[in-house]
Amino acid sequence: MIGDLATFQDELAASGFPPLVNKRAGAGFRARIDVRELGPLRLVSLETPESACVGRERDASDGDNLAIKVMTRGRTRIEQGRGDAELGPADLVLLDPTRAFRFESTASAHVTILVPRRELRMRPAQLDRLVGARIDGSHGPGALVSVLARESARSATELREAAALRSAAAVVELIAVALEARLGDEQPAPDERLRDRITGYIEARLADPDLSPPGIAAAHHISVRRLHKLFEDQPLTVAALIRRRRLERCRAELAGGAPAGTGGRTVTAVAARWGFSDPTHFSKLFKTTYGYNARALTTSNRARTTKTRTAGPEQDGGHR
């Protein structure tokens, strides 16, 4: 049992949870955390006192996992995206750790399954519809996920590697079935389908420096006003979405280094490749968004490359 909020938050962060601010933690704080691995999944069992927590939006690069929270005791209200879920025992909810959220709960116990995003293969529009939405854990696929999550949290360490991988695959498959069933309960409205198409259109044309709301609206035969109306309840406006996705592409390319045979890539070249024609504007925008200069990524890559090349001969005995 942990009796210190700071220690508890450190252990939560180490397990892969986003940073939380608990507004109700008092001097008598007591909580328990148990982390177990099941193949590519991480199962985090928590017992917590009455809580009111807020989690801030995080950078997309910090969100390798999605989270399935399964209640075992107590009640919780969670708000994320457009969802506002009231959860009781056995109920579950999908959460995106990169998005802002808030929750209030009684003293409770719950199991959270951290699932690599690639395992669920969900499109952005599907995530928008599912995050923060209650999934009934009393019947159907939701009940199977609920039972399996609680049992897996207890017995994960008893499984051999092959059995753990097969069990993880079964858990992921059941989660996918439960999420698909929830999607079936809420067919997307025409506006959501149109927004999904527009998001895909933007993603495919991020390198086009002329990509802009007027051009996007014209390509979809709608007015600019209608385009902005489609995105008014989304986390980002159209222009902000274009800017954020371009920045993420630039950051990923700079962090990954230049492909072989390119002779290196400067910050200016990468920025231009993803639609930023003004290097000064790009540098300021990158620093404001991420808190450090884009050039720091290329410097870090050069240092890693130099270290690897220097270490190479030593690792193979100096023979070529």
Side-chain angles (χ1 to χ4, degrees), residues 99 112-113 130 132 184 195 197 200 225 233 313 317 319:
R99 304 189 187 197
T112 298
I113 308 173
L130 285 172
R195 187 166 56 236
R197 290 201 302 273
R225 180 178 180 182
D233 63 344
H319 299 294

Side-chain angles (χ1 to χ4, degrees), residues 132-295:
R134 172 182 173 269
I135 297 176
D136 190 343
S138 65
H139 67 278
L144 294 177
V145 173
S146 182
V147 172
L148 196 53
R150 286 174 283 170
E151 182 56 36
S152 297
R154 286 193 292 266
S155 59
T157 56
E158 302 170 8
L159 300 176
R160 295 176 182 270
E161 182 178 359
L165 290 172
R166 293 176 64 185
S167 298
V171 172
V172 171
E173 183 61 26
L174 274 178
I175 290 173
V177 170
L179 294 177
E180 287 172 9
R182 189 66 173 82
L183 281 172
D185 292 340
E186 293 184 4
Q187 291 299 326
D191 281 0
E192 290 181 274
R193 291 196 293 268
L194 177 57
R195 187 166 56 236
D196 191 16
R197 290 201 302 273
I198 290 172
T199 301
Y201 179 92
I202 290 171
E203 194 71 24
R205 292 164 177 78
L206 289 172
D208 181 359
D210 295 325
L211 184 66
S212 64
I216 294 168
H220 291 83
H221 310 291
I222 59 176
S223 67
V224 175
R225 180 178 180 182
R226 170 90 168 103
L227 175 66
H228 290 314
K229 184 77 172 174
L230 284 170
F231 283 81
E232 69 179 1
D233 63 344
Q234 298 301 293
L236 298 173
T237 64
V238 177
L241 176 62
I242 295 170
R243 190 163 55 245
R244 174 62 66 86
R245 293 298 295 128
R246 282 175 168 168
L247 283 170
E248 289 171 354
R249 292 292 186 91
C250 290
R251 187 188 190 205
E253 189 167 332
L254 291 168
T262 62
R265 285 211 180 124
T266 64
V267 170
T268 299
V270 171
R273 170 177 168 78
W274 293 109
F276 292 104
S277 57
D278 184 340
T280 301
H281 172 68
F282 168 75
S283 295
K284 290 180 178 178
L285 188 60
F286 193 98
K287 176 70 178 294
T288 299
T289 303
Y290 296 118
Y292 55 85
N293 293 320
R295 199 171 301 279

